[in-house]
């Protein structure tokens, strides 16, 4: 029987991943580790802790006989620029603690990298799996370092760690995080609360994106794949859709014609967006472990609106 620890359990990914893992493994076998923001409605096994504290992580792993860690805790791109020291501390020292414990307790690990591992010198369209990684944000630097650490622990110590380069993720269960792609989540709150939204990127800022259900399905599929199928131990390119703010606004306007969107690009966020690819080539993930997305822009827009409407009622 597998016992799963999810760090960063109440963020954008964790809020959907924890219920999916509870369904798959049974609620009593999934331990959600939160630091500050624990929603009142959470049902399941809750553990309190900080990923930077190795001793407390070790206690949790021993106490609950943990076999797998989905290590999601981390700062995003915009949050990272606000506090680079904290971003390095949480994103790198937290990951290193998890990998050390994975080696000692033979744990399987999932860790998310991001399109932020790429930078201005990376090919922008259909970015290949193996390419230039010269990010210009601290978040990106932690993602490249993290990818190399994951590969190192696999090669040197045989730790079964797997990773995906998440694009911008869109979901409604958790409030949007401090990321550059998160305008695509905020916009739905703006739509339903005020019928208007001011986008913090330029209208033509095309970025790779994915609806959260695809991300969760892909994450679980990667972790279910036999080890011999995993040929990438840094992090897999992982893609679904890509769109510009303007394209998302037109999709929303098909359903809400009076919706008003304006564009007021924030220089820091726009610069980050311009340093990232517009689309990503994920053929290696498709070939190795059968990745295939299901959500196109129109389906994602519909599901987001319906889901958020219920949540805001
Ligand atoms: C961000 O915008 O920082 C994240 C990401 C692409 O990793 N959503």
């Amino acid at each position: 029987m597998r016992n799963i620890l999810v760090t960063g359990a109440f963020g954008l990914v964790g809020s959907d991943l924890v219920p999916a893992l509870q369904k798959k493994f049974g609620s009593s076998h999934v331990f959600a580790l939160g630091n500050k923001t624990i929603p009142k409605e959470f049902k399941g096994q809750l553990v309190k802790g900080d990923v930077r504290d190795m001793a407390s992580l070790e206690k949790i792993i021993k106490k609950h006989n943990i076999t797998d860690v989905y290590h999601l805790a981390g700062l995003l791109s915009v949050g990272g620029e606000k506090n680079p020291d904290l971003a390095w501390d949480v994103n790198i020292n937290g990951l290193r603690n998890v990998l050390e414990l994975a080696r000692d307790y033979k744990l399987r690990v999932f860790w998310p990298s991001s399109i932020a591992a790429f930078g201005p010198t990376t090919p922008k369209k259909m970015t290949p799996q193996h390419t230039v990684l010269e990010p210009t944000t601290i978040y990106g630097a932690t993602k490249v370092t993290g990818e190399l650490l994951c590969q190192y622990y696999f090669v040197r110590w045989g730790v079964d760690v797997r990773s995906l380069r998440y694009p911008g993720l869109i979901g409604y269960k958790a409030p949007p995080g401090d990321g550059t792609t998160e305008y695509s989540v905020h916009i739905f709150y703006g739509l339903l609360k005020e019928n208007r939204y001011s986008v913090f990127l330029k209208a033509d800022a095309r970025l790779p994106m994915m609806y959260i259900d695809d991300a969760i399905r892909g994450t679980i599929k990667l972790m279910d794949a036999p080890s011999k199928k995993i040929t990438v131990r840094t992090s897999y390119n992982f893609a679904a859709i890509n769109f510009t703010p303007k394209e998302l606004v037109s999709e929303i306007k098909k359903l809400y014609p009076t919706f008003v969107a304006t564009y007021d690009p924030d220089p820091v966020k726009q610069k980050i967006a311009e340093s990232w690819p517009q689309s990503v080539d994920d053929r290696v993930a498709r070939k190795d472990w059968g990745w295939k997305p299901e959500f196109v822009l129109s389906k994602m827009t519909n599901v987001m609106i319906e889901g958020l409407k219920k949540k805001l009622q």
Side-chain angles (χ1 to χ4, degrees):
M1 178 43 73
R2 308 208 72 80
N3 290 315
I4 319 289
L5 177 66
V6 183
T7 74
F10 304 102
L12 189 67
V13 178
S15 300
D16 280 87
L17 184 63
V18 168
L21 294 171
Q22 286 173 328
K23 200 165 163 208
K24 186 170 165 73
F25 296 102
S27 212
S28 58
H29 296 283
V30 179
F31 298 85
L33 184 126
N35 191 358
K36 283 180 223 126
T37 47
I38 295 159
K40 285 191 289 300
E41 63 277 9
F42 174 71
K43 287 196 186 70
Q45 309 272 356
L46 184 64
V47 283
K48 286 257 185 166
D50 186 323
V51 295
R52 292 170 296 173
D53 178 355
M54 171 112 103
S56 75
L57 271 186
E58 184 168 16
K59 260 194 208 148
I60 294 167
I61 284 164
K62 277 163 75 176
K63 180 166 175 205
H64 301 292
N65 293 316
I66 297 298
T67 55
D68 300 52
V69 182
Y70 289 72
H71 176 44
L72 308 177
L75 272 74
L76 296 180
S77 55
V78 179
E81 292 313 304
K82 285 183 194 154
N83 196 341
D85 288 346
L86 185 66
W88 185 265
D89 196 17
V90 175
N91 294 13
I92 293 302
N93 295 329
L95 174 61
R96 194 153 174 273
N97 286 343
V98 169
L99 291 171
E100 286 281 293
L101 293 165
R103 177 192 60 203
D104 296 349
Y105 291 90
K106 309 244 167 311
L107 312 174
R108 297 169 77 240
V109 177
F110 171 80
W111 173 76
S113 183
S114 157
I115 52 164
F118 304 121
T121 51
T122 306
K124 284 247 173 288
K125 294 198 173 138
M126 288 305 275
T127 302
Q129 174 67 50
H130 299 286
T131 186
V132 182
L133 299 176
E134 293 179 338
T136 45
T137 60
I138 189 68
Y139 175 59
T142 67
K143 289 304 182 190
V144 175
T145 310
E147 289 191 9
L148 295 174
L149 267 181
C150 288
Q151 179 173 253
Y152 174 72
Y153 275 78
F154 172 72
V155 171
R156 178 75 172 84
W157 307 108
V159 173
D160 188 356
V161 47
R162 304 173 184 200
S163 174
L164 296 171
R165 289 175 178 149
Y166 282 155
L169 300 180
I170 302 158
Y172 61 84
K173 289 204 183 130
D178 216 355
T180 307
T181 61
E182 260 76 352
Y183 84 84
S184 60
V185 182
H186 287 287
I187 197 168
F188 290 100
Y189 285 84
L191 166 72
L192 296 178
K193 287 184 170 170
E194 301 171 84
N195 201 37
R196 59 169 56 241
Y197 180 67
S198 170
V199 182
F200 56 66
L201 295 181
K202 288 187 182 164
D204 64 352
R206 181 174 300 283
L207 287 165
M209 299 280 190
M210 183 180 286
Y211 184 58
I212 192 75
D213 285 12
D214 269 346
I216 301 304
R217 219 172 24 80
T219 301
I220 291 177
K221 199 166 169 59
L222 170 71
M223 292 305 277
D224 280 348
S227 191
K228 60 178 188 309
K229 295 265 183 200
I230 307 299
T231 64
V232 175
R233 291 291 180 168
T234 49
S235 190
Y236 277 100
N237 278 8
F238 186 50
I241 45 182
N242 63 78
F243 54 79
T244 63
K246 196 171 167 203
E247 286 165 0
L248 176 57
V249 169
S250 345
E251 202 56 48
I252 293 174
K253 275 174 167 276
K254 287 183 192 162
L255 303 164
Y256 289 81
T258 61
F259 175 58
V260 179
T262 52
Y263 300 90
D264 183 16
D266 171 271
V268 174
K269 293 173 188 166
Q270 179 61 29
K271 193 163 170 228
I272 296 174
E274 281 171 18
S275 77
W276 290 350
Q278 299 185 346
S279 60
V280 168
D281 180 348
D282 64 357
R283 275 177 297 180
V284 181
R286 289 176 186 247
K287 179 171 161 283
D288 282 5
W289 47 274
W291 164 239
K292 199 164 179 278
E294 285 176 1
F295 282 77
V296 292
L297 178 58
S298 53
K299 185 170 169 192
M300 180 283 283
T301 306
N302 274 289
V303 175
M304 265 310 277
I305 292 174
E306 289 315 310
L308 196 56
K309 258 195 211 159
K310 280 194 200 120
K311 185 181 157 175
L312 296 178
Q313 255 164 26

